[in-house]
């Protein structure tokens, strides 16, 4: 686990644009079972989260005509039970952070794994997210 003073500004990078920080497994379970669309971001302290994942999330959410009804996030390396529960819902994909998952009516419909993030151009990640929003939201 990381010191909270270190992750607080990283959390705020997403919560400041409307993401709800989920802290417990129960909160994750409740959020992902909701009707409609839920975008889940597994946040991280790593460089690709800072340089690509969070900026892509912010750009996609801000510039999309269609967007998920609910935005939520968990933080890898911090609230372990919440992250573990989120990853259960992302099966069969292996754990990765950062990662981004879109759920519709409780079902996983789109997944962006770490290797899609760190090895990709920022605009391609935004396009990927916006395409998923267009298809499912």
């Amino acid at each position: 686990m990381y010191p909270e003073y270190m992750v607080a500004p990283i959390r705020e990078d997403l919560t400041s644009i409307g993401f709800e920080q989920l802290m417990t497994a129960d909160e994750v379970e409740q959020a992902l079972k909701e009707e409609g669309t839920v975008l889940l971001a597994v946040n991280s302290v790593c460089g690709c989260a800072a340089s690509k994942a969070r900026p892509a999330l912010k750009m996609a959410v801000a510039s999309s005509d269609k967007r998920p009804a609910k935005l939520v996030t968990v933080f890898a390396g911090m609230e372990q039970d919440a992250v573990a529960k989120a990853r259960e819902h992302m099966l069969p994909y292996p754990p990765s952070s950062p990662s981004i998952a879109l759920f519709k009516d409780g079902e996983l419909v789109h997944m962006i794994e770490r290797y899609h993030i760190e090895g990709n151009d920022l605009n391609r990640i935004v396009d990927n997210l916006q395409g998923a929003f267009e298809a499912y939201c």
Side-chain angles (χ1 to χ4, degrees):
M1 295 202 7
Y2 303 101
E4 183 59 35
Y5 72 86
M6 187 173 144
V7 300
I10 301 169
R11 289 184 201 275
E12 188 177 340
D13 204 17
L14 292 180
T15 60
S16 68
I17 62 158
F19 279 79
E20 177 186 351
Q21 178 68 55
L22 304 178
M23 304 296 278
T24 68
D26 287 341
E27 289 175 349
V28 170
E29 192 67 30
Q30 197 164 0
L32 297 183
K33 285 188 173 183
E34 289 188 18
E35 287 187 26
T37 51
V38 179
L39 184 66
L40 169 68
V42 179
N43 203 351
S44 173
V45 298
C46 74
C48 64
S51 66
K52 295 185 180 179
R54 290 191 303 273
L57 285 161
K58 292 191 289 189
M59 290 170 66
V61 167
S63 63
S64 295
D65 291 331
K66 291 185 175 183
R67 56 180 275 187
K70 188 172 186 83
L71 307 170
V72 298
T73 183
V74 295
F75 205 108
M78 293 300 288
E79 294 76 32
Q80 294 175 358
D81 291 341
V83 173
K85 181 56 73 177
R87 287 180 171 157
E88 283 179 24
H89 286 274
M90 291 186 267
L91 290 172
Y93 297 96
S96 73
S97 50
S99 60
I100 304 165
L102 181 63
F103 296 84
K104 183 168 184 171
D105 299 329
E107 297 296 321
L108 178 63
V109 294
H110 190 76
M111 183 73 183
I112 300 175
E113 298 176 80
R114 179 187 175 107
Y115 78 90
H116 294 121
I117 296 167
E118 68 183 341
N120 224 331
D121 174 79
L122 177 62
N123 290 321
R124 286 188 181 178
I125 302 165
V126 172
D127 290 346
N128 184 320
L129 286 166
Q130 289 176 328
F133 297 170
E134 188 66 32
Y136 298 107
C137 297

